[in-house]
Amino acid sequence: MNCQSDGYCHIERMLKSVIQKGAAVKSCGGCSEARGIDKLPLIEGVQISNMKEFAQWTVECDKVLTF
């Protein structure tokens, strides 16, 4: 598990774990830009995306995880 005993979870470890298992992980470009992190290096395997692609993913898949 990637969570500490106090209940806080380590997001980088969690993302690396799912990427290693073959999951696609994308970050919202607009949200990243609004928070000033769009130019920062991302975790290897994470890509910047957009709402059009997120909507298409949602339509095509049977399960959606967000956090």
Side-chain angles (χ1 to χ4, degrees):
M1 177 62 79
N2 294 304
C3 295
Q4 301 172 10
S5 60
D6 59 7
Y8 287 97
C9 298
H10 193 288
I11 188 70
E12 183 175 356
R13 285 187 205 141
M14 292 169 64
L15 289 174
K16 285 180 176 181
S17 176
V18 297
I19 291 168
Q20 185 178 33
K21 293 175 179 152
V25 176
K26 304 218 177 188
S27 178
C28 176
C31 297
S32 298
E33 184 178 348
R35 287 158 181 79
I37 62 171
D38 58 318
K39 304 290 190 266
L40 296 176
L42 299 174
I43 297 168
E44 186 176 339
V46 176
Q47 299 174 340
I48 296 287
S49 190
N50 56 52
M51 292 309 291
K52 182 177 179 180
E53 185 172 27
F54 290 147
Q56 189 62 41
W57 268 11
T58 303
V59 168
E60 293 173 356
C61 69
D62 59 339
K63 294 180 184 177
V64 177
L65 301 175
T66 61
F67 53 93

